[in-house]
Amino acid sequence: MNKIYVPKCNLQLVFASLVCCSCFFMQGNARAAATTPVEKSKAPFDQTITGTVKDAATGEPLVGATIGVKGYSKTTSTDVKGAFSLSVPDKTPALVVSFIGYVTQEVLIRDRSNIEILLHSAATDLTQVVVVGYGTQNKKDVTGAVKTLKSESFNKGIINNPQELLQGKVAGVNVTTASGEPGQRLGITIRGAGGVRGGNTPLFVIDGLPLDNSGTGGGGDPLNTINPQDIESIDVLKDASATAIYGTRGANGVIIITTKKGKAGSSTLSLNSSLGFSKMARKLPVLTADEFRTEVPKLGGSALDDKGGNTDWQDVISRTAITQTHNLALSGGADKLTYYASFGVQSQQGVIKRSQLDRYNGRFNATQKFLDDALIIDVNLGVANTKQVRPPLGIGEAISNNPTYPAYKADGSAAAYDNMSNPLLNFDLDREQVVTNRVTGSISPSIRIIKGLIYKFTLGIDNSTATQDFVNKPNAVPQRDGRLETYNFVNRNILYENYLTYTFSKKAHNFSVLAGQSFQKFFIQSRSSSINKFPISPLDPIYNPNQGQELTLANNRPNSGATENKLNSYFGRVNYSFDDRYLVTVNFRADGSSKFGSNNRYGYFPSFSLGWRISEEEFMKNSPFSNLKLRGGYGETGNQEIDPKSTQPLFRTEVTAANSYPLYPTGAYPAGSVFVRLANPDLQWEKSKQTNIGLDFGILNGDLTGSIDVFNKVSSNILLKVPPTDPVQPATTLWANIPNMTVTNKGIEVDLAYTKKLTKDITFGIGGNFSYIKNKVNGSPYSIIASGSAQGAGLTSATVNGYINGQPVGTYFLKEFTGFDANGISTFLDKDKDGVVTDKDRVYAGVAIPDKLYSFYVNFAWRGLDLVANFNGVSGNKVYDNTANANFYKLRLSKNVNVTKEALAFPQESINNSAPVSTRYLKDGAFLRLNNLAIGYNFNTTALGISKWVPTIRLSATGQNLFVITKYDGYDPEVNLDRNIDGFTSYGMDYLSYPKARSFIVSLNASF
C-alpha cells in the first residue's frame, strides 16, 4: 500500500492543539468568567442604555445586531424583538451599531437612556460575506467567479438534499433530478462535463469539511443525510482561480455549505412543520381499454384477449403520496458562547406504492470564546439516520399490461395471471431497503497569536455505515423459494488541518496571507452475504435470516472489499487590495495522493486573479453605477477520480487449472496466485486549466445588480482505461493518461437581479440567469468511446451515445431513421453508400447535454403577505426514449401488449417490423418548468397580543413542479438513467424512469 507521511512537526502541533482544546473545554466557563476584557479606560460602567434596532425602511426589528461602546471592547446584541440593554461609562459619546448587510452607524447618546436606532440597508449587496476556501471575503473584494445563495433564496417545496435548493439558482450549474424517486441521486455539474468518466461531480465542503464523493453505500444521494433546514448559505466556486485552493478535487467546481449558527444576545425556539401531497405529474399516454379493443383487431395478429376490465395500470401502481416534515431548532447565546441545535424528521412517500424515504436528523453547532476572545473554538456536529425503501417499480408492467385485465379479484386481493405479471403481487413480495447512519463533525480551535495573526486547527470526521437488503419473500403461487441478500458498507473520512492567517493594513494597502497543511484519509469497505430457501411465514427475512435453509458457496459465496486512500496537501493564498480599488488574489496548492504512483504522486495547482473596482475611481463618482468591478483570473486544478490502487500491481488467488499446477495426479488443485495487473508508477493527474473574465455591476442605486462571466476550461491529460501496449502486461485494460486528448468547455454566464421597494409596504423583485456552454472532445485516439447501453429485448448490445473527436460530450451516435420500405420495414441512411446499413453508417444525431440553461424568478411582498415563483429550463439537448424503443411498437400490440398511439403513427408500418436503436426514438429534451410557487403570510403577532410569547408566525402554501412545457412525451424530459459502459458516463437516457411528482405543501413556522 502506498503511504503518505505527515511531517513529525505537524503531528506534534496537532497533538498540542488537541490537548489545549481539551483543557479549554473543561475550564471554559471558569476562564470566561475570570477573564475581563482589557478596556481603554478604567471608568466604571455606571449607566445603562436600552433601546431597539430596526430596519429603517420596513421598521422590522433586526435580530442579532451588534451594539458596542465607542472606544471600548464591550458589546451586546439585540434579541428576537430587536431590543438591547448595555451598561456604558458615564459621558460615553456614542454607540457603534452594526449588522450584516447594513451600513454601520455611530449613534450619539446625548443624555438619552432609551434609543431607537434605525439602520439603513447597504446600497448594494457588496457587504455580503462570501465563504471561500479556508476563509471569508466581502463580496466587493472577491476576484473569482463565486455565487452565494442565502437561505431565503432557496427553492421551496419537498426538498431532500442541498442540490435541490440551488437548482436553477446559479448560472452555469446544471442540477438534474433524473428520477422522481424519494432520495434518488441527483446529477450536478458546474460549467459542463470536464471528463469522460463519472468524476464530474463538484467537491462539497460542509462547515470546512471536504466530503468524499464516493457515496455512503446502497445507492441514493449521499447528501440526503443533510437537513436542508439546517443550511444557512451555499457558496458556489466556479472558476479555477477560486477552486485551485482545493487542488486535486477542484476541477469540477466547489460547493461550500455553511450550516446555521446561534447569535449572541438572543434565545430562540423555532418550530417548522409541513404537510405535503404528491401525485404523478403526468402519465404515459398508453391506450385505454376501449382504444385497445379497437386497435388490436386492426393489426390482424393474435385474437383480442379481452377480460372485460377497464384498468389504468399506471393508476394501479401509483398513489397520492403524503410527506411530513417537522423541525425543531434552538439557538442563541451570550457574549462568549453561541449555539444552534436542531432536531428534524421527514417521512416522504413516493408516488409509486411502497416506495418511501424516512430521515431523522440532529445538529449541534457551538462557538465559545476564551482569553479575551483570543481563543475561539467552533464545534459542528451533524447526525442522521435514513431509511429508503424501493419496491419493484412495476413501470414496465404498468405501461404494457393489457388494460382489459382487472387488477383485483372480486374479494379485493390482487389478481394473478399465467400470461401477465400483476405488479401488485411483486409489491408484496419484493423490496430493496437501505438504512444509513451518518455522522459529520469537526472541532476547530483558533488562537490569535499576535494582532492579525491567527492559527487554526481543524479535526473533522465523516463516518457513515449503511446496510442494503434485497428481500425476495417465499410464495406458493407463483412458487418461489425466497432469498435475502445483504450488503454492508462503511465510508470513513478523517481530516487534519493546520493553517495560519495573517491580516494587516498599512494606509491604503490591505494584505491577507494564508498558509496551511492538510491531511485527509479515506476508508471504504463493503461486505455481502446471502441465503436462500425461506419457509412461507409472516416473518420478514431481514429480521430472521437464520430461517433460510440453503447456504452454498455456489449461490451464496460471501464477498468483500476495502480501500484506503490518503491525501496530503500544502496550500497558500495571498489577498492584496490597494485603496479598496485594485485587488489581487494568488493561490497555490500541492496535493499528494496515494492513488498515484511514486513518479507522479504530487500535483501542483496555482491560480491568480485580479480585480478592478472601477466604480471607486474619481471619474466614476457621478456615474449611474453604484458598483462596477472588472475581474479576471487563471488557474489550474486536478482530478484524481480513478479506481483506488490503480498504479499498484494486482494479484489474484484462485483454485483453477489456469492459475495453479497439480501437486498429485488426482485431487483438488491448490490455490494459485497470478498477476492480474502490473504496476504503473507513471500515471499522472488529470488537469484542468481555466481562464475567466467577469464584470459585476449595480445601477439604479443598487436596485439592479448583475454579473457577466466568460470562461474557457480545458481538461487535459485525460485518464482512461486502455488496452496495454506492453505485451507482458496481463491486464486487458489499465489506466493511462491520453497525452493529446482534451475536453473543452467554453461559454458565457449572465446573472441579473432587480429589487425595488415601491412603497413602505410593497416590495417587488425579478431576476434570473442564463448560461451558454459549448463543449467539445478533441485528440481522442479512438473513433468513438461508446456509452449509453440500451435496454430491452433485442437491444442489449446496442449503444446510444459516446465520446467522439470534434463533438460534444454525450453526442448521440445512431443510425438515421428514414422511413419504411414497400414492405413496411424500417429503412436507415446508408452513409457510406455501400448498399448495406451497418454501424459504420451511424451519424452524429444531437447532444444529450443542454448547451443553454436558464432560470428566472419573480417575487412580491405586501405587508405580511409574500409570493415567489421560480422557473427553470434548458434547451439544445435531446433525450433517447429507450422506454418507447423497447416497449411501444406494433408487433407488441398485435400480441395483446399495450402501447402508446405513437406506435401506431405510421399506417404503412408492418407488424413484423423490428425496433432497433435509431434516431426514430431520439426526441427534443428542451423544457420550461415552474419549479415552485409559494405564497406565505407573516402574522402581526404584536397586533394579536402574543408577541411576548410567540414573536413570529408564518403560514405558507407551496406548489412544486406545477407544470412543464416540453415536446418530450415521456414521464419527464429531465431524465438521465445511468447506463455507463466501463465507467464512461452516459447522458440523456430514459428507460422506465420513476415518474416525477406534482406536489402541494402547507407549512407552519413559528418562533418562541
Side-chain angles (χ1 to χ4, degrees):
M1 180 179 293
N2 290 331
K3 297 181 180 180
I4 293 180
Y5 296 95
V6 180
K8 185 176 180 181
C9 60
N10 287 333
L11 291 175
Q12 293 171 342
L13 190 56
V14 170
F15 179 77
S17 300
L18 288 174
V19 172
C20 292
C21 292
S22 301
C23 296
F24 284 129
F25 268 120
M26 290 185 290
Q27 303 177 29
N29 291 333
R31 287 182 183 272
T35 303
T36 303
V38 178
E39 302 292 350
K40 207 172 174 184
S41 164
K42 296 297 183 181
F45 286 73
D46 53 7
Q47 180 185 2
T48 299
I49 302 295
T50 61
T52 56
V53 180
K54 298 180 179 179
D55 184 300
T58 65
E60 294 294 321
L62 298 179
V63 181
T66 301
I67 301 93
V69 182
K70 185 177 181 180
Y72 296 84
S73 61
K74 188 176 181 65
T75 63
T76 189
S77 300
T78 55
D79 59 19
V80 292
K81 299 179 182 179
F84 70 91
S85 177
L86 181 65
S87 297
V88 302
D90 193 19
K91 297 182 180 180
T92 296
L95 301 177
V96 179
V97 186
S98 62
F99 190 69
I100 293 175
Y102 289 76
V103 178
T104 299
Q105 186 175 339
E106 285 192 11
V107 180
L108 299 177
I109 295 178
R110 293 174 179 162
D111 298 325
R112 292 178 292 175
S113 60
N114 186 274
I115 306 173
E116 182 181 70
I117 301 169
L118 301 177
L119 291 186
H120 294 269
S121 177
T124 68
D125 60 349
L126 300 182
T127 57
Q128 185 182 44
V129 175
V130 176
V131 180
V132 294
Y134 305 102
T136 60
Q137 286 183 288
N138 284 335
K139 186 174 180 179
K140 66 181 179 63
D141 298 326
V142 173
T143 54
V146 180
K147 174 70 174 180
T148 298
L149 200 66
K150 299 294 185 182
S151 57
E152 58 268 20
S153 301
F154 290 162
N155 283 317
K156 310 297 190 295
I158 298 173
I159 304 294
N160 287 321
N161 48 54
Q163 301 99 301
E164 292 178 294
L165 295 175
L166 55 80
Q167 184 177 32
K169 294 289 187 178
V170 182
V173 177
N174 187 16
V175 178
T176 307
T177 54
S179 167
E181 183 179 5
Q184 190 65 311
R185 182 184 287 266
L186 272 69
I188 179 169
T189 57
I190 298 177
R191 293 186 167 180
V196 299
R197 299 184 60 84
N200 289 316
T201 303
L203 171 67
F204 287 88
V205 181
I206 300 181
D207 291 328
L209 175 63
L211 302 184
D212 181 18
N213 284 335
S214 61
T216 54
D221 197 289
L223 298 183
N224 286 338
T225 54
I226 300 172
N227 186 353
Q229 296 207 27
D230 284 337
I231 298 176
E232 179 69 27
S233 66
I234 299 176
D235 294 85
V236 182
L237 281 55
K238 296 189 286 187
D239 74 326
S241 69
T243 64
I245 194 71
Y246 287 104
T248 60
R249 290 179 294 163
N252 301 315
V254 179
I255 296 178
I256 301 177
I257 298 171
T258 303
T259 58
K260 294 178 179 177
K261 307 293 190 291
K263 293 183 174 66
S266 64
S267 180
T268 305
L269 172 64
S270 300
L271 175 64
N272 304 324
S273 292
S274 66
L275 179 64
F277 302 90
S278 305
K279 289 279 289 184
M280 190 185 297
R282 64 177 187 172
K283 298 184 290 186
L284 294 187
V286 295
L287 300 179
T288 66
D290 290 340
E291 292 170 337
F292 188 85
R293 293 184 177 100
T294 301
E295 296 296 338
V296 171
K298 291 181 180 179
L299 299 179
S302 302
L304 174 65
D305 183 7
D306 190 347
K307 292 292 189 292
N310 186 10
T311 304
D312 186 329
W313 287 98
Q314 293 180 87
D315 284 344
V316 169
I317 67 168
S318 63
R319 63 182 173 184
T320 298
I322 298 175
T323 299
Q324 296 186 63
T325 305
H326 307 284
N327 286 276
L328 182 69
L330 304 92
S331 65
D335 187 36
K336 299 295 182 182
L337 173 67
T338 57
Y339 64 90
Y340 172 86
S342 71
F343 309 91
V345 57
Q346 182 182 62
S347 178
Q348 180 185 1
Q349 294 179 341
V351 294
I352 301 297
K353 292 176 180 177
R354 304 293 179 88
S355 64
Q356 182 146 340
L357 175 67
D358 295 323
R359 178 177 63 203
Y360 300 90
N361 289 91
R363 174 160 292 279
F364 178 74
N365 296 339
T367 299
Q368 188 156 5
K369 302 176 181 178
F370 305 90
L371 303 178
D372 194 19
D373 299 348
L375 174 65
I376 300 175
I377 298 178
D378 293 306
V379 175
N380 300 284
L381 178 64
V383 296
N385 168 269
T386 62
K387 178 181 178 182
Q388 187 170 9
V389 178
R390 302 186 185 109
L393 294 183
I395 299 293
E397 293 89 347
I399 62 176
S400 300
N401 279 0
N402 187 327
T404 69
Y405 277 47
Y408 299 94
K409 298 178 183 177
D411 62 2
S413 60
Y417 301 100
D418 293 333
N419 61 336
M420 192 185 77
S421 174
N422 187 338
L424 294 176
L425 294 174
N426 295 331
F427 284 166
D428 292 332
L429 296 175
D430 302 322
R431 78 179 190 275
E432 175 191 353
Q433 178 176 299
V434 182
V435 177
T436 303
N437 295 294
R438 189 175 193 179
V439 177
T440 57
S442 65
I443 178 171
S444 303
S446 59
I447 187 166
R448 186 176 67 245
I449 301 173
I450 59 174
K451 181 180 178 181
L453 180 61
I454 296 175
Y455 163 73
K456 187 171 186 177
F457 166 72
T458 298
L459 171 63
I461 186 167
D462 174 13
N463 188 84
S464 65
T465 59
T467 300
Q468 181 181 32
D469 292 297
F470 292 90
V471 183
N472 305 108
K473 292 182 179 179
N475 196 51
V477 181
Q479 194 280 328
R480 51 193 286 178
D481 288 340
R483 177 177 171 84
L484 172 66
E485 295 181 28
T486 300
Y487 298 82
N488 296 292
F489 303 93
V490 176
N491 190 326
R492 186 177 302 118
N493 163 17
I494 301 177
L495 171 73
Y496 306 90
E497 277 184 344
N498 305 271
Y499 58 93
L500 290 163
T501 304
Y502 184 47
T503 304
F504 63 97
S505 300
K506 187 174 182 180
K507 295 183 179 180
H509 303 276
N510 295 285
F511 291 88
S512 178
V513 182
L514 168 76
Q517 177 268 339
S518 174
F519 178 78
Q520 201 162 7
K521 182 167 68 174
F522 308 92
F523 174 76
I524 300 174
Q525 182 183 30
S526 63
R527 292 178 179 174
S528 65
S529 60
S530 61
I531 191 168
N532 290 24
K533 207 168 185 179
F534 286 83
I536 298 176
S537 75
L539 299 178
D540 194 314
I542 283 183
Y543 308 111
N544 297 274
N546 58 306
Q547 298 294 312
Q549 301 170 18
E550 180 183 281
L551 187 63
T552 65
L553 285 179
N555 296 319
N556 308 102
R557 181 182 293 273
N559 201 356
S560 64
T563 61
E564 185 177 84
N565 299 311
K566 299 175 183 179
L567 192 65
N568 188 45
S569 309
Y570 302 90
F571 54 88
R573 178 174 59 223
V574 176
N575 291 325
Y576 168 73
S577 70
F578 173 72
D579 202 23
D580 209 25
R581 288 182 292 168
Y582 310 111
L583 313 169
V584 179
T585 300
V586 179
N587 291 287
F588 180 80
R589 182 163 179 135
D591 276 333
S593 173
S594 61
K595 287 188 175 183
F596 292 95
S598 55
N599 295 345
N600 292 291
R601 178 150 301 160
Y602 274 85
Y604 305 96
F605 308 100
S607 77
F608 72 91
S609 55
L610 307 173
W612 178 24
R613 297 192 63 203
I614 306 172
S615 54
E616 298 303 303
E617 297 289 353
E618 282 296 326
F619 61 81
M620 293 290 290
K621 291 303 180 183
N622 296 319
S623 75
F625 290 93
S626 57
N627 174 49
L628 187 62
K629 180 172 66 175
L630 181 66
R631 297 178 281 104
Y634 167 85
E636 298 180 8
T637 52
N639 190 344
Q640 60 157 2
E641 299 304 322
I642 61 172
D643 298 338
K645 304 179 182 178
S646 297
T647 62
Q648 300 177 40
L650 180 63
F651 302 87
R652 179 177 295 159
T653 300
E654 292 180 348
V655 183
T656 65
N659 293 342
S660 64
Y661 296 94
L663 299 179
Y664 304 98
T666 60
Y669 282 81
S673 296
V674 296
F675 268 110
V676 178
R677 180 183 66 219
L678 299 182
N680 183 12
D682 296 322
L683 196 66
Q684 299 181 30
W685 299 85
E686 189 172 292
K687 280 196 173 185
S688 290
K689 299 178 181 180
Q690 185 175 173
T691 55
N692 187 94
I693 298 175
L695 182 70
D696 301 330
F697 61 89
I699 58 176
L700 303 178
N701 295 319
D703 292 340
L704 177 61
T705 60
S707 64
I708 302 173
D709 281 88
V710 179
F711 64 89
N712 184 37
K713 180 172 70 171
V714 180
S715 299
S716 61
N717 231 21
I718 301 297
L719 289 162
L720 290 183
K721 271 187 175 178
V722 299
T725 56
D726 185 351
V728 181
Q729 173 66 257
T732 57
T733 61
L734 52 78
W735 284 100
N737 299 103
I738 310 302
N740 297 317
M741 185 175 178
T742 62
V743 178
T744 302
N745 288 275
K746 59 177 64 176
I748 184 171
E749 301 168 349
V750 180
D751 200 327
L752 295 171
Y754 176 76
T755 303
K756 183 67 175 178
K757 195 166 189 64
L758 303 177
T759 69
K760 179 182 178 182
D761 297 324
I762 300 177
T763 303
F764 171 77
I766 188 171
N769 62 71
F770 171 81
S771 307
Y772 173 75
I773 302 175
K774 186 177 181 180
N775 178 287
K776 185 179 288 188
V777 176
N778 285 310
S780 172
Y782 307 100
S783 58
I784 179 173
I785 300 174
S787 186
S789 61
Q791 289 182 276
L795 304 177
T796 52
S797 61
T799 61
V800 171
N801 54 25
Y803 303 83
I804 307 164
N805 274 326
Q807 299 296 325
V809 170
T811 292
Y812 292 106
F813 195 50
L814 301 166
K815 295 177 183 178
E816 184 175 334
F817 174 70
T818 56
F820 304 95
D821 63 16
N823 298 316
I825 304 301
S826 297
T827 60
F828 305 96
L829 176 68
D830 183 7
K831 184 180 176 182
D832 58 10
K833 307 298 183 181
D834 65 354
V836 181
V837 177
T838 65
D839 281 348
K840 294 180 180 179
D841 296 302
R842 291 188 292 177
V843 299
Y844 311 133
V847 184
I849 301 176
D851 59 4
K852 290 175 279 294
L853 313 172
Y854 62 93
S855 69
F856 56 94
Y857 68 87
V858 60
N859 57 54
F860 175 83
W862 175 67
R863 295 185 177 178
L865 185 69
D866 58 77
L867 179 144
V868 60
N870 291 290
F871 298 80
N872 71 284
V874 303
S875 65
N877 65 305
K878 294 184 178 182
V879 175
Y880 192 80
D881 193 351
N882 194 175
T883 300
N885 191 178
N887 294 278
F888 301 146
Y889 50 93
K890 281 186 176 180
L891 178 61
R892 287 173 62 85
L893 181 61
S894 71
K895 296 180 178 181
N896 285 280
V897 178
N898 207 1
V899 297
T900 61
K901 291 182 179 179
E902 178 187 8
L904 308 175
F906 301 101
Q908 71 271 31
E909 183 179 5
S910 169
I911 64 170
N912 297 315
N913 187 34
S914 61
V917 167
S918 73
T919 59
R920 180 180 180 180
Y921 301 100
L922 189 63
K923 302 176 181 180
D924 190 345
F927 69 85
L928 169 65
R929 187 191 310 277
L930 176 51
N931 195 314
N932 53 84
L933 173 68
I935 184 170
Y937 184 74
N938 297 292
F939 289 87
N940 187 337
T941 57
T942 302
L944 295 174
I946 60 173
S947 60
K948 182 177 180 180
W949 303 280
V950 188
T952 62
I953 300 178
R954 175 179 172 80
L955 182 65
S956 63
T958 303
Q960 191 173 14
N961 191 26
L962 293 182
F963 68 77
V964 59
I965 300 173
T966 182
K967 295 179 181 179
Y968 186 66
D969 55 3
Y971 279 124
D972 196 275
E974 189 180 22
V975 65
N976 184 26
L977 177 72
D978 182 12
R979 296 298 299 165
N980 77 82
I981 297 177
D982 196 25
F984 294 108
T985 308
S986 64
Y987 297 94
M989 296 283 290
D990 185 7
Y991 182 70
L992 304 181
S993 300
Y994 194 113
K996 283 191 172 65
R998 178 174 295 118
S999 303
F1000 298 91
I1001 307 101
V1002 179
S1003 303
L1004 177 66
N1005 304 334
S1007 64
F1008 304 89

